[in-house]
Amino acid sequence: ETQLLEKRKEKIISFFKTSSLPYYIGLAFLMILGYLIRTKNLKLLIDVTTGKYLPVDLDAFLFLRYAKEVLENGALAAVDMMRYFPSGLEQIGEYGLLSHVKVWLYKFLHFFNPNVTIEYADIIYPPIIFALSLIFFFLFVRRLFDNRVALLASAFLTVIPSYLFRSMAGVSDKEALA
């Protein structure tokens, strides 16, 4: 009976030595932890007068306005007349992808929960994009080094302050997508 237990023990140890499953579990833990850290401020982002979610920084208001325009019209106007008065700003395509990603996220979330608004999708987009990008970051670093280095690098990326701020809920700027 002790030999049987030893064989089972060796099988389990060899499985964890050769398998990537523990690293994927660690990556899932980091994704959840990073998402929870980045969404701790959600209750602070609700406007007390309207009950709608508000972005944190000024640039995010512009990107929210562009996302609303894409949602209403299907595309951005060729010239944004609300910028650089009186001639406006010609859209150079820099904002189109970000606006469409937010609208796609809104439609996806709205499909599962009809109470989701474009404002909520706008402020929750950075943590969601962070979680998805962490997968690709892990796979990239794993390709360059190995599973241990990839998991360690992903752990650092999860909590590094400069990236944490740019991918926090409400900071719906271009950096989270980039």
Side-chain angles (χ1 to χ4, degrees), residues 98 125-127 129-130 133 163 166-168 171-178:
L98 178 62
Y125 129 85
I129 293 297
F130 157 77
S133 67
Y163 188 60
R166 300 313 285 170
S167 58
M168 186 172 45
V171 185
S172 54
D173 213 331
K174 299 175 282 189
E175 284 83 4
L177 190 60

Side-chain angles (χ1 to χ4, degrees), residues 25 28 100 126 132 143 170:
I25 292 170
H100 281 87
L132 294 175
R143 178 89 169 169

Side-chain angles (χ1 to χ4, degrees), residues 34 37-39 41 55-61 63 94 98 102 122-131 133 157-178:
I37 290 171
R38 284 162 174 79
T39 56
N41 64 342
V56 173
D57 62 348
L58 294 177
D59 288 344
F61 279 98
F63 298 127
E94 179 182 352
L98 178 62
K102 290 180 183 185
D122 177 67
I123 66 156
I124 202 71
Y125 129 85
I128 290 174
I129 293 297
F130 157 77
S133 67
L157 187 66
T158 300
V159 295
I160 193 165
S162 57
Y163 188 60
L164 181 64
F165 171 72
R166 300 313 285 170
S167 58
M168 186 172 45
V171 185
S172 54
D173 213 331
K174 299 175 282 189
E175 284 83 4
L177 190 60

Side-chain angles (χ1 to χ4, degrees), residues 10-60:
E10 287 175 19
K11 276 186 177 182
I12 291 172
I13 290 173
S14 69
F15 171 77
F16 282 109
K17 282 185 179 179
T18 59
S19 174
S20 296
L21 182 65
Y23 298 103
Y24 292 132
I25 292 170
L27 177 63
F29 172 76
L30 288 175
M31 288 171 59
I32 293 168
L33 177 67
Y35 182 84
L36 291 175
I37 290 171
R38 284 162 174 79
T39 56
K40 281 287 187 191
N41 64 342
L42 278 179
K43 63 181 173 282
L44 302 173
L45 299 177
I46 299 174
D47 184 3
V48 294
T49 58
T50 64
K52 294 182 177 182
Y53 286 96
L54 290 175
V56 173
D57 62 348
L58 294 177
D59 288 344

